């Protein structure tokens, strides 16, 4: 291998190794903030556990996060209506059951297009999902199998570079 491709491999492996290290302290917050493997694994757990409404809730949280970051009020109004139709409406395809008073409050404020329209619902869904994450997912065979695979990958990466890993990175840069 050329030194530049060897450096790229070492740098990629180093990033992956550090990422695996972070995953050892997995949390629900990681599902919601930049750790796609955690989110994907948790989503798979919900699906395999036939927790369909919680699957919808988890997807809703992802969409709501995007909704809240939209700067255009007109786009937010349209997106909010779409979200309502898909997740909360009478014949929603990904129905999430919420108290009627909350449903009416959201429906009555759709035209305002505020970035916080769904924030109360989002907090409630996060609490429910966090509980499932901590009490069920972290004790599941799916999670344990995933952690075992990550440990094996970590050992493989470490065996390639050994205790002088970071020295190898420096040498490859020269």
């Amino acid at each position: 291998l050329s030194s530049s491709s060897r450096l790229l491999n070492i740098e990629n492996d180093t990033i992956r190794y550090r990422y695996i290290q972070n995953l050892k302290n997995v949390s629900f917050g990681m599902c919601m903030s930049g750790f796609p493997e955690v989110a994907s694994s948790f989503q798979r757990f919900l699906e395999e556990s036939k927790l369909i409404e919680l699957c919808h809730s988890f997807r809703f949280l992802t969409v709501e996060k995007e909704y809240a970051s939209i700067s255009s009020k007109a786009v937010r109004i349209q997106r909010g209506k779409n979200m309502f139709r898909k997740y909360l409406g009478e014949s929603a395809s990904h129905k999430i059951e919420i108290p009627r008073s909350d449903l009416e409050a959201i429906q009555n404020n759709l035209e305002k297009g505020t970035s916080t329209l769904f924030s109360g619902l989002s907090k409630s869904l996060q609490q429910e999902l966090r509980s499932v994450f901590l009490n069920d997912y972290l004790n599941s065979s799916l999670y344990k199998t995933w952690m075992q695979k990550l440990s094996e990958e970590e050992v493989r990466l470490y065996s390639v570079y050994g205790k002088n890993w970071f020295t190898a990175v420096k040498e490859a840069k020269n």
Side-chain angles (χ1 to χ4, degrees), residues 62-122:
T62 303
V63 174
E64 190 276 334
K65 189 175 178 181
E66 294 169 6
Y67 167 87
S69 70
I70 296 170
S71 58
S72 166
K73 182 178 178 179
V75 173
R76 262 197 322 270
I77 290 170
Q78 188 57 45
R79 183 77 53 90
K81 289 178 179 179
N82 290 341
M83 290 170 62
F84 188 89
R85 233 182 339 272
K86 183 174 183 176
Y87 294 100
L88 304 171
E90 192 80 23
S91 57
S93 60
H94 293 75
K95 185 78 168 161
I96 299 171
E97 295 293 336
I98 64 172
R100 178 152 273 331
S101 59
D102 295 345
L103 182 68
E104 289 172 355
I106 292 170
Q107 190 170 23
N108 292 337
N109 288 294
L110 280 171
E111 290 297 330
K112 292 180 182 175
T114 63
S115 62
T116 58
L117 177 65
F118 298 105
S119 61
L121 174 57
S122 179

Side-chain angles (χ1 to χ4, degrees), residues 1-109:
L1 289 174
S2 72
S3 73
S4 62
S5 63
R6 194 173 86 213
L7 175 61
L8 183 61
N9 287 340
I10 292 171
E11 287 178 342
N12 286 340
D13 286 348
T14 301
I15 291 167
R16 180 66 182 165
Y17 183 82
R18 288 181 175 157
Y19 185 75
I20 291 170
Q21 295 291 306
N22 285 330
L23 291 177
K24 286 183 171 184
N25 298 310
V26 70
S27 68
F28 178 73
M30 294 168 89
C31 282
M32 304 308 299
S33 60
F35 287 85
E37 283 184 76
V38 178
S40 176
S41 180
F42 184 54
Q43 179 75 35
R44 185 170 158 215
F45 166 77
L46 294 173
E47 291 167 357
E48 288 181 4
S49 300
K50 307 282 190 247
L51 300 170
I52 303 306
E53 187 172 335
L54 290 176
C55 287
H56 299 330
S57 296
F58 190 64
R59 287 187 191 116
F60 176 86
L61 289 175
T62 303
V63 174
E64 190 276 334
K65 189 175 178 181
E66 294 169 6
Y67 167 87
S69 70
I70 296 170
S71 58
S72 166
K73 182 178 178 179
V75 173
R76 262 197 322 270
I77 290 170
Q78 188 57 45
R79 183 77 53 90
K81 289 178 179 179
N82 290 341
M83 290 170 62
F84 188 89
R85 233 182 339 272
K86 183 174 183 176
Y87 294 100
L88 304 171
E90 192 80 23
S91 57
S93 60
H94 293 75
K95 185 78 168 161
I96 299 171
E97 295 293 336
I98 64 172
R100 178 152 273 331
S101 59
D102 295 345
L103 182 68
E104 289 172 355
I106 292 170
Q107 190 170 23
N108 292 337
N109 288 294

Side-chain angles (χ1 to χ4, degrees), residues 17 150-160:
Y17 183 82
L150 286 175
S151 292
E152 290 167 4
E153 184 179 359
E154 177 186 27
V155 167
R156 183 192 61 77
L157 288 169
Y158 191 81
S159 70
V160 169

